[in-house]
Amino acid sequence: MRRPISSLLRHIGDTLSLKVLLFVLAGFAVVAAPAYLAFNWIANSTVIQLGTLFAEKQVLYDRYRGLGALVREVSLAETLAGSQAIRDWARNEDDPALMRRGIAELEHFRQSFADRSYFFVIDGSGNYYFNDAANAYAGNQRRYAVSADNPRDAWYFSAKALGEGCYLNVDNDANLRVTKVWMNCVIREGRNVLGVLGTGIDLTAFIQEVVNVPQTGVTSMFVDRQGFIQAHRDEDLVNLASLSESLSDKRTVFSLVDSEADRQVLERLLDRVASSEVQVISDFVTIEGKQVLVGAGYLDRLGWFNVTLMDVDAIIDKRLFLPIGALLIAVMGITAFVLMLVFKRSVLDRVFVLETAVRRARSGDYPAARALGGTGGDEIDRLSTAFSDMAGAVDVQTSELEARVRERTADLERLANMDGQTGLLNRRGFSAAHAAAAPEGAYGLLLVDIDRFKGINDNFGHAAGDAVINDMTMRIAQVVGPANPCARWGGDEFIVLLPESSSNVLRAMAYAVLAAINDGPLLMADGSEIAMSASIGACMAEAGDGLEIATDMADAALYAAKEQGRNRVVVFDREMGDFHKSSRNRQG
């Protein structure tokens, strides 16, 4: 036994190739353990960084995908809540004329709502008005009266206490047997609540559109500021009647995590993203015993969080890194005499470059990652090329997403400042135009009111009234031109701003507008004709005069035009302003 061993040792001592082989095996044994740990750390770090980058992009994508489904409805509901016809009716519910105008306004907006439905609760009486897509309650929109003693009406009293504005709420309305995402818009006048109105979107359709798009390893949901789940592909997790249920009955996003430490991590994420410190934030939590990457963004327009849960292992397969391990073994086997140097230069240094590029890509520096594409053909070069291609694709997708976000933002800004029927500026848009022009110098203001517009609606119908509004818009816009901002100031009232104007220009423009309005009747599709006229109140305002001051003067002139027989232009003077003020006091 000793002789064969001794003979083998002597043979190894005499053979250089065997000594090198043993050295390689010994070096492999010494280097294998730390090399494995280093490789595993780099692979895990890369997976986490790529997963985090993917999670944040997914949250941004879901954020703007979710906004598109709801913001249009919220904007329409806000516009309806600001309607003068609605506010006038809410102040005097029993006035038949105001009721007709209010119902007509509700019905007009119902045609624009995606759900073709609305509700309106007038706080003074508690009466609940409703109509649906089938117009089933036409002529009988008043359904019932809410009561503080009825638990089913708790949503209304909770909503009215929130302050002026629109709030989203998932609610199961037992009276109407519908389950919807409701937009509750509180209408206030000072400290007094006039009522709450809004519309709804079917909950199932909402979930299908926003959170139920199938993606491997990705679960999206929306939660409110308290953490209550408002939309989820699993409808059993959705909290219904979130304004009226007790807190103990609600499912929150915090109930999904396993421990108190995970709950604190999730709360910290939501607090940071809600405070606008960051647009998107992510971290790891444990759900059902498995580590999950959670990304969060805040939809400030709606008051909801967009929370995305990602199973990183399901999205990024770690087996993609196996070629690197094979490369490590090959390098150590071939380059025995410079084992550590070749290992470091051929593997670790290049992987470090890749990891650095990943970190820079995470911070938005995609050109550095796109420059990684190797010219060789080994595993690291192929991985670098694959990552470079992926970074290029993410860069392109990010640019496209940012472009779409800019387009949507511009659309929302235009919608917020534009009257939906006429395409003119609304009050908000006109106020902005006035704020920009008023400091530049003296300016003119025209207040145009359609004469006997109510009679047109009563005699020819609301469709004819809308046609008159649109035709009047075209005639006024053609005269004043794009340089002079024009807005729809009320239901049948328009306002025109003449920047850096003079009295002569003001008079000429006012009479030109009146001439355009009187230039023939409106010819309807059925061949009937509608005669149109308008009264115009004009005024000159000094540089820096506020909009309220200018509109008061123009309103006084308009009042005088009405008093003098309509269909005429009256330019404001101080005596007229005193007469207008005393007349209004007597009327009040």
Side-chain angles (χ1 to χ4, degrees):
M1 185 68 170
R2 291 181 179 178
R3 182 173 295 179
I5 295 175
S6 175
S7 177
L8 177 62
L9 291 176
R10 188 167 53 252
H11 181 65
I12 292 172
D14 295 338
T15 307
L16 183 59
S17 59
L18 292 178
K19 288 191 290 186
V20 172
L21 176 60
L22 290 178
F23 178 76
V24 169
L25 293 176
F28 178 82
V30 172
V31 175
Y36 171 78
L37 294 177
F39 168 74
N40 196 51
W41 176 80
I42 292 173
N44 287 334
S45 298
T46 303
V47 167
I48 290 173
Q49 291 170 27
L50 289 175
T52 301
L53 180 64
F54 182 82
E56 293 177 353
K57 298 304 178 186
Q58 181 69 34
V59 168
L60 286 174
Y61 172 69
D62 287 341
R63 169 190 173 95
Y64 293 105
R65 181 177 60 182
L67 277 174
L70 293 176
V71 167
R72 176 184 178 275
E73 298 300 298
V74 173
S75 297
L76 286 173
E78 286 180 337
T79 303
L80 178 58
S83 169
Q84 192 62 44
I86 294 297
R87 291 177 175 268
D88 291 343
W89 180 30
R91 295 190 197 97
N92 190 358
E93 183 182 2
D94 296 326
D95 187 312
L98 295 179
M99 176 178 288
R100 283 195 300 272
R101 287 184 60 195
I103 292 293
E105 189 79 342
L106 291 171
E107 290 297 325
H108 174 72
F109 273 80
R110 182 174 68 85
Q111 301 302 320
S112 299
F113 287 135
D115 192 57
R116 298 292 192 271
S117 69
Y118 64 80
F119 69 89
F120 183 26
V121 180
I122 297 181
D123 189 73
S125 63
N127 287 333
Y128 183 102
Y129 294 82
F130 176 84
N131 202 357
D132 59 13
N135 201 23
Y137 303 105
N140 190 26
Q141 285 89 342
R142 186 171 62 187
R143 307 308 305 148
Y144 58 90
V146 298
S147 171
D149 298 326
N150 189 345
R152 293 178 300 184
D153 296 332
W155 66 269
Y156 171 72
F157 298 94
S158 299
K160 67 179 270 188
L162 292 176
E164 188 167 19
C166 291
Y167 306 89
L168 270 70
N169 177 42
V170 181
D171 188 17
N172 183 30
D173 193 318
N175 289 297
L176 300 178
R177 299 180 181 179
V178 290
T179 301
K180 294 183 176 180
V181 177
W182 293 103
M183 291 110 200
N184 300 321
C185 295
V186 182
I187 306 174
R188 285 182 174 270
E189 189 174 65
R191 296 186 177 181
N192 298 324
V193 175
L194 299 180
V196 176
L197 60 74
T199 185
I201 299 178
D202 182 76
L203 180 60
T204 302
F206 171 72
I207 293 175
Q208 290 292 334
E209 182 176 0
V210 179
V211 300
N212 209 25
V213 176
Q215 291 178 278
T216 302
V218 178
T219 301
S220 296
M221 69 186 76
F222 288 110
V223 301
D224 64 16
R225 288 298 298 266
Q226 289 74 41
F228 306 135
I229 299 176
Q230 300 296 314
H232 193 285
R233 69 178 61 179
D234 181 3
E235 294 187 29
D236 292 335
L237 294 179
V238 177
N239 175 59
L240 298 179
S242 64
L243 287 177
S244 56
E245 287 188 346
S246 64
L247 293 176
S248 60
D249 295 332
K250 296 178 177 179
R251 282 302 297 271
T252 70
V253 68
F254 307 115
S255 67
L256 301 179
V257 298
D258 290 357
S259 66
E260 180 61 25
D262 292 321
R263 178 189 178 96
Q264 293 176 1
V265 170
L266 195 53
E267 288 178 341
R268 185 173 66 253
L269 292 181
L270 298 185
D271 288 341
R272 285 194 63 193
V273 79
S275 66
S276 300
E277 292 182 18
V278 290
Q279 191 175 28
V280 181
I281 193 170
S282 59
D283 206 340
F284 284 90
V285 297
T286 303
I287 298 178
E288 297 180 355
K290 189 170 186 179
Q291 194 176 46
V292 175
L293 183 63
V294 56
Y298 184 55
L299 309 181
D300 53 345
R301 189 73 171 79
L302 308 176
W304 284 6
F305 294 98
N306 173 209
V307 178
T308 299
L309 306 179
M310 300 183 60
D311 183 353
V312 177
D313 292 335
I315 297 172
I316 303 175
D317 190 351
K318 292 184 178 180
R319 290 178 297 180
L320 296 173
F321 295 91
L322 289 179
I324 300 178
L327 177 63
L328 295 179
I329 296 174
V331 170
M332 287 190 295
I334 296 173
T335 59
F337 63 96
V338 285
L339 184 64
M340 294 305 298
L341 178 62
V342 172
F343 176 73
K344 181 178 180 299
R345 294 181 60 183
S346 299
V347 180
L348 293 182
D349 287 353
R350 295 161 69 191
V351 173
F352 179 76
V353 171
L354 175 61
E355 183 184 7
T356 302
V358 171
R359 292 181 183 276
R360 296 179 67 176
R362 183 183 177 187
S363 65
D365 185 7
Y366 294 107
R370 298 181 70 173
L372 277 178
T375 57
D378 64 15
E379 289 83 350
I380 295 182
D381 282 332
R382 291 199 296 272
L383 179 63
S384 298
T385 300
F387 178 74
S388 176
D389 294 341
M390 183 188 70
V394 171
D395 192 12
V396 171
Q397 292 175 0
T398 300
S399 299
E400 292 176 352
L401 178 61
E402 289 174 349
R404 287 197 293 269
V405 169
R406 287 193 295 269
E407 291 175 1
R408 289 190 179 182
T409 301
D411 290 341
L412 291 176
E413 289 177 351
R414 284 194 296 271
L415 181 62
N417 293 294
M418 186 176 67
D419 177 64
Q421 178 183 350
T422 63
L424 298 176
L425 295 175
N426 58 18
R427 282 180 176 256
R428 179 186 296 176
F430 187 82
S431 297
H434 174 272
E440 301 300 322
Y443 62 91
L445 205 67
L446 303 181
L447 204 56
V448 183
D449 186 83
I450 302 174
D451 293 333
R452 300 180 177 89
F453 183 70
K454 182 178 180 300
I456 294 175
N457 276 332
D458 293 342
N459 295 328
F460 296 95
H462 288 283
D466 290 343
V468 169
I469 290 291
N470 292 333
D471 189 68
M472 191 74 69
T473 297
M474 181 183 66
R475 298 189 186 198
I476 296 174
Q478 287 178 344
V479 173
V480 302
N484 300 308
C486 180
R488 187 178 181 187
W489 198 241
D492 58 349
E493 198 170 41
F494 301 85
I495 191 167
V496 178
L497 176 66
L498 304 176
E500 298 184 54
S501 185
S502 64
S503 297
N504 292 336
V505 173
L506 175 71
R507 290 179 181 274
M509 184 65 74
Y511 281 104
V513 169
L514 185 63
I517 294 172
N518 290 327
D519 187 19
L522 171 62
L523 181 62
M524 301 297 291
D526 60 0
S528 62
E529 294 183 349
I530 301 178
M532 297 187 305
S533 68
S535 299
I536 301 177
C539 73
M540 284 298 300
E542 298 297 329
D545 279 354
L547 182 57
E548 184 177 356
I549 295 174
T551 53
D552 281 347
M553 292 189 294
D555 189 55
L558 177 61
Y559 182 83
K562 293 289 187 180
E563 287 289 309
Q564 294 175 21
R566 297 183 174 86
N567 194 26
R568 66 191 61 237
V569 174
V570 173
V571 180
F572 175 83
D573 60 40
R574 184 168 300 279
E575 292 181 0
M576 182 186 305
D578 295 337
F579 172 75
H580 175 65
K581 185 181 298 184
S582 63
S583 298
R584 286 294 177 89
N585 291 336
R586 289 197 300 272
Q587 290 176 2

